[in-house]
Amino acid sequence: MEQHYKKEGKYSYFEDGEGTPIIILHGLMGGLSNFDGVANYFANKGYKIIIPDLPIYTQSLLRTNVKAFAKYVKDFITFKGLDSVILLGNSLGGHIALYHTKMYPEKVAGLVITGSSGLYESAMGDSYPKRGDYEYIKKKAEDVFYDPKVATPELVEEVYATVNDRMKLIKTLTIAKSAIRHNMAKDLPKMNVPTCIIWGRNDKVTPPEVANEFNRLLPNSTLYWIDKCGHAAMMEHPEEFNSVLEDWLTNVYQPIS
């Protein structure tokens, strides 16, 4: 991934491939590497894969919210000179993708959400990890996945470092409140963008009923399930995730002209 990582102006991002642009938005605790499997696969399938580093912990507190992140994505799309894109988001990234689509529908040709917040108020930290308690944080990280072994020691260390950084913790709680404030339930029925919903059937963070609700409220959506899978399907079952997404892109997806 490193050889395709770029820094231009205020933006840092991964970019690979040529073709239809897919912009991937990571979650609150998610890094760009969470999407290695997706990026490597679709960059060789006629898609330009772009994964921006979202300024989750670097913007001012006043701009640490879903709406401001959605505007950041819009500015990034403009910076890249793209007319319209497919947005793919996991967890908070899905919420940002949804809110961006509400605000700037002309920029979005298609939408892919997986384990997204935006409907379920507890998704952004109902019992946010206690500072300093390593075992509690380890358990929380493992609960994100169906197979706890996916939460590697490196991943747990990263989460542990984040919650023990006072300013990052404050910003995380600020984002959690923002996610609740920016509930999308009333907006979704007005959003006609073609939407692919990919969900882990064993997701404990955003449970299966959340996926059903997204599918019910979004008028142009298709819901796919991945078994034995938690909150981050693209990490836990990358091959199946890619297969599902490719099926949707090839057989279901029709961009709004």
Side-chain angles (χ1 to χ4, degrees):
M1 191 169 245
E2 283 182 15
Q3 73 263 36
H4 297 288
Y5 191 75
K6 303 180 179 182
K7 291 190 176 185
E8 295 178 351
K10 68 175 183 177
Y11 300 109
S12 301
Y13 60 97
F14 166 93
E15 181 177 341
D16 192 19
E18 289 297 332
T20 303
I22 299 178
I23 293 189
I24 298 177
L25 306 178
H26 60 79
L28 184 61
M29 295 287 177
L32 276 56
S33 62
N34 291 8
F35 293 91
D36 274 354
V38 178
N40 293 336
Y41 185 81
F42 285 98
N44 295 305
K45 291 279 183 176
Y47 295 92
K48 180 190 286 288
I49 303 299
I50 307 174
I51 316 176
D53 260 324
L54 297 175
I56 288 171
Y57 297 119
T58 55
Q59 296 207 135
S60 68
L61 265 180
L62 283 175
R63 288 164 61 211
T64 301
N65 59 70
V66 172
K67 185 176 181 179
F69 295 142
K71 184 178 184 305
Y72 181 92
V73 172
K74 190 268 288 186
D75 291 344
F76 177 70
I77 292 169
T78 302
F79 170 80
K80 289 298 295 173
L82 301 170
D83 291 323
S84 68
V85 303
I86 296 170
L87 284 179
L88 188 168
N90 171 244
S91 200
L92 174 66
H95 198 164
I96 295 167
L98 287 160
Y99 205 85
H100 176 281
T101 303
K102 171 196 167 180
M103 291 173 69
Y104 315 105
E106 72 284 354
K107 293 278 185 190
V108 184
L111 191 58
V112 183
I113 56 172
T114 178
S116 177
S117 59
L119 284 179
Y120 183 56
E121 292 187 355
S122 298
M124 292 301 303
D126 54 336
S127 54
Y128 193 75
K130 302 162 190 165
R131 290 179 74 192
D133 189 339
Y134 185 87
E135 286 307 312
Y136 180 86
I137 289 167
K138 182 172 182 280
K139 176 71 169 61
K140 276 292 190 183
E142 290 174 346
D143 281 350
V144 169
F145 306 101
Y146 176 81
D147 179 0
K149 290 199 265 321
V150 179
T152 61
E154 293 79 13
L155 188 150
V156 175
E157 282 290 344
E158 201 172 313
V159 176
Y160 181 75
T162 297
V163 300
N164 279 284
D165 180 312
R166 183 175 171 276
M167 186 47 72
K168 284 186 177 180
L169 182 62
I170 289 168
K171 289 190 173 182
T172 299
L173 297 173
T174 302
I175 293 166
K177 289 174 185 170
S178 166
I180 293 167
R181 201 166 60 246
H182 292 99
N183 187 284
M184 303 290 297
K186 291 179 181 174
D187 302 305
L188 299 180
K190 303 169 202 162
M191 292 165 53
N192 289 307
V193 64
T195 304
C196 175
I197 304 168
I198 306 176
W199 225 263
R201 210 178 276 281
N202 311 92
D203 189 340
K204 295 178 187 174
V205 181
T206 44
E209 58 264 29
V210 181
N212 287 323
E213 189 70 355
F214 271 122
N215 191 36
R216 184 181 74 81
L217 290 171
L218 283 160
N220 193 3
S221 63
T222 309
L223 172 58
Y224 300 87
W225 296 103
I226 296 183
D227 292 326
K228 295 183 179 178
C229 180
H231 187 57
M234 71 289 169
M235 290 177 70
E236 199 158 9
H237 293 285
E239 290 181 5
E240 191 172 348
F241 184 94
N242 291 341
S243 175
V244 166
L245 179 53
E246 187 170 35
D247 177 67
W248 181 79
L249 288 166
T250 305
N251 300 315
V252 181
Y253 170 63
Q254 292 183 320
I256 297 172
S257 54

